[in-house]
Amino acid sequence: MDVDPRRLRVLLAVVRAEGVTGASRVLHLTPQAISQQIGSLEEELGVELFDRTHRRLSPTAIGLTLAGHAERLEAELVAAGRAVAAATGRVSGVVRMAAFQSAIRWLVIEALPILRAEQPGVIPMVIELYGLGVEKSLRTGEIDLMLDERDDDQDDPSAPGIEVRQLLRDPYYVVASASLARELRTPKALAAQRWIAAPEGTSLDLALQRLAKRGKFEPTVAHVCKEFPSVLALVAAGEGVAIVPELALGDARGVEPCPLTGLGARKLLAIQRVSKRGTEPAVDAVVRALTRKKG
């Protein structure tokens, strides 16, 4: 009995996404089309591939077995793509890249012309996404590449099925209004300042907590912002001081970095899927362009 590999791909997407709706986003098909493909596959094989007695679709034993075969077929297609890329030096395909504001502004924008010059067959699609859920979207195939950040003191993500590459190390600076910046020369001098802080648990929040510990003070938080243009605008307006990475200083107006050292840095990371036969050549091409940005 022949098994349609296209329907196996649909089966694998449903298993990974834990449902029809997530699979429809991955494959850019309607949920109805996904359900129809699964139903046709079950009818052809004469077996049930999913347990539908609960609210969430659960693959049956044979469903999981076929999903495993689909993963191996997927890995072989990746290997075929790598062989073609090695022979021709050219790759192609759409690469959906999830990134956050500062990475898009100062990293992705400069890498896109490099990518188009080196690999015109690769079509990058930038999707502004950040936070919880993005890594799941990578695993299910909804996106192909995600850019993430980690503080120096944080470990890089580590899990089966992903590969992590550091793109650059982005040093931190304390910034203040131009009239105040030169006066803030030591961590203790910052004790009396109001802070434009980052959301709890982010890399910049960890950097502020580390600086406060070093200066033996408790930060007085005046505002909490996650996007650097908002942070810099509040600093320029005299609403407080803040920690920002070097990349964000390219958009700074009316603020200056304080003469402090040893603040640490954030790491900008590229995270992609990896199968038993390696990573996808088109995604590799995007990562290479990101590491070769101008400037």
Side-chain angles (χ1 to χ4, degrees):
M1 178 183 295
D2 292 333
V3 180
D4 189 334
R6 292 169 298 182
R7 287 178 177 156
L8 281 182
R9 179 170 179 252
V10 173
L11 168 67
L12 180 59
V14 175
V15 171
R16 283 176 170 169
E18 300 180 342
V20 168
T21 302
S24 70
R25 292 195 298 266
V26 172
L27 299 177
H28 302 286
L29 297 171
T30 64
Q32 292 79 9
I34 297 289
S35 296
Q36 184 179 19
Q37 290 288 321
I38 293 298
S40 296
L41 184 58
E42 288 180 322
E43 186 176 347
E44 289 174 1
L45 300 177
V47 295
E48 288 190 354
L49 300 174
F50 291 93
D51 180 354
R52 296 174 174 83
T53 59
H54 303 288
R55 293 183 62 183
R56 175 181 292 182
L57 282 181
S58 300
T60 61
I62 184 61
L64 284 174
T65 298
L66 289 179
H69 286 295
E71 283 189 326
R72 287 189 284 277
L73 285 173
E74 183 181 67
E76 289 301 321
L77 290 174
V78 169
R82 294 182 68 83
V84 171
T88 65
R90 311 300 281 177
V91 295
S92 62
V94 176
V95 176
R96 294 159 294 180
M97 172 172 44
F100 47 94
Q101 190 268 341
S102 62
I104 295 171
R105 176 68 181 86
W106 293 107
L107 190 64
V108 175
I109 290 298
E110 293 191 0
L112 292 179
I114 297 172
L115 175 65
R116 291 195 174 101
E118 294 182 348
Q119 295 291 352
V122 176
I123 303 172
M125 177 187 290
V126 178
I127 304 170
E128 190 169 1
L129 287 175
Y130 185 64
L132 296 176
V134 181
E135 190 170 326
K136 181 180 178 182
S137 296
L138 178 70
R139 292 181 182 281
T140 61
E142 190 172 347
I143 59 173
D144 306 300
L145 175 67
M146 65 176 284
L147 303 190
D148 199 3
E149 64 173 4
R150 289 287 193 277
D151 181 74
D152 268 343
D153 287 348
Q154 291 178 296
D155 294 332
D156 293 349
S158 178
I162 64 170
E163 180 175 283
V164 181
R165 181 169 179 179
Q166 182 171 319
L167 299 174
L168 58 84
R169 187 173 178 272
D170 195 12
Y172 296 134
Y173 291 86
V174 172
V175 293
S177 61
S179 60
L180 178 63
R182 297 178 185 85
E183 301 176 15
L184 303 178
R185 296 182 174 276
T186 66
K188 287 187 177 181
L190 298 168
Q193 304 303 315
R194 287 156 40 98
W195 287 86
I196 293 89
E200 185 177 355
T202 61
S203 60
L204 292 179
D205 175 58
L206 294 176
L208 176 56
Q209 298 307 319
R210 185 168 55 239
L211 177 64
K213 184 176 180 180
R214 173 179 157 193
K216 298 180 180 179
F217 67 90
E218 183 67 30
T220 299
V221 175
H223 308 284
V224 178
C225 296
K226 66 177 182 178
E227 299 294 351
F228 297 130
S230 303
V231 172
L232 294 169
L234 287 167
V235 172
E239 284 293 311
V241 299
I243 295 178
V244 298
E246 186 175 49
L247 285 181
L249 295 178
D251 282 330
R253 300 291 184 273
V255 309
E256 291 184 9
C258 302
L260 293 166
T261 59
L263 296 175
R266 66 172 180 170
K267 302 169 287 187
L268 296 190
L269 308 173
I271 307 174
Q272 65 188 110
R273 290 187 303 278
V274 57
S275 73
K276 294 179 180 178
R277 300 301 295 271
T279 52
E280 297 181 20
V283 181
D284 291 340
V286 175
V287 175
R288 284 195 300 271
L290 289 166
T291 61
R292 294 179 56 191
K293 77 177 200 71
K294 299 175 289 184

